[in-house]
Structure formats: C-alpha cells, structure tokens
Amino acid sequence: MHYEKINWDLDVCKNFDLLKDSDKIIIYGAAKKGEEVFHKLKDIGIYIDCFCDIDVNKWGKYIESIEIISPFEITNIRNEKDIPIYIIACIERGEELIVMLESI
C-alpha cells in the first residue's frame, strides 16, 4: 500500500468533500488532539471508522464507541469501492507515520 504525504489543518481546510466522499476515515492519534479532531468532524457530519495509535495500551479500547486499533491493522482495512482511505494524522511528526506505514 502506498501512502502520500498530506498535511491537514482543520482550522484552514475549507473542502471537506473529500472526506465526505470517502469510504473509510481513520484518525491516527488517540489522544487529546485526535479526540478534538474527531469532535470537529462529527459536528459537520463526518464520521470516522476508527482511531489508530502506536500505544499498545490503547489497542482494543474505545473513544465514544470508536475502536482504537494498532497501526499494523491499517493494512487489513479494505475498501470495496476503490475509494481512498483517509488517515488524518493528529501527531506532531506526520512523516514518521508515513515511514512506519510503508514499512508494514
């Protein structure tokens, strides 16, 4: 699976149509910033499929009934319609996420 570097900033992003048309949305980072982004998206009618976090202690737990998965499970997520799966990185260094995902 190939991942492209995309920077998201919900304060300046004006076009949420990409997310609304997506089959799968994952928030990477199940901490305060990830929850904040989750609530902002939920407020405008965009729902995520799961959270993802590197912290093994969070795997299998839930944030408001949304499961937290391990990064290794991302490769198991499939999408029948060949629509992009969006990963919104709510972490300080998004580049590290791309390197990690490409190594899985």
Side-chain angles (χ1 to χ4, degrees):
M1 200 179 280
H2 176 70
Y3 300 92
E4 293 182 29
K5 182 177 180 178
I6 300 174
N7 294 316
W8 286 93
D9 183 339
L10 290 180
D11 295 327
V12 298
C13 185
K14 302 293 184 205
N15 184 355
F16 290 104
D17 290 336
L18 289 174
L19 293 177
K20 288 180 180 176
D21 292 339
S22 177
D23 210 31
K24 303 284 183 194
I25 300 172
I26 300 168
I27 291 181
Y28 188 92
K32 184 179 177 182
K33 186 64 176 177
E35 287 189 55
E36 179 183 314
V37 170
F38 165 70
H39 288 290
K40 286 181 179 182
L41 291 174
K42 187 176 169 184
D43 287 346
I44 60 171
I46 296 174
Y47 299 94
I48 69 165
D49 293 278
C50 61
F51 286 92
C52 183
D53 203 282
I54 193 71
D55 184 349
V56 67
N57 296 311
K58 294 181 182 182
W59 299 349
K61 296 187 178 168
Y62 293 81
I63 297 174
E64 293 190 31
S65 76
I66 308 292
E67 186 176 10
I68 303 169
I69 65 170
S70 82
F72 307 104
E73 291 180 72
I74 290 176
T75 58
N76 295 332
I77 295 175
R78 297 288 179 250
N79 135 9
E80 309 77 41
K81 300 176 187 174
D82 200 29
I83 296 173
I85 296 172
Y86 289 95
I87 302 172
I88 302 171
C90 298
I91 56 175
E92 199 168 305
R93 293 185 178 93
E95 302 83 23
E96 293 173 5
L97 172 61
I98 293 169
V99 169
M100 182 190 63
L101 290 172
E102 287 182 338
S103 71
I104 295 175

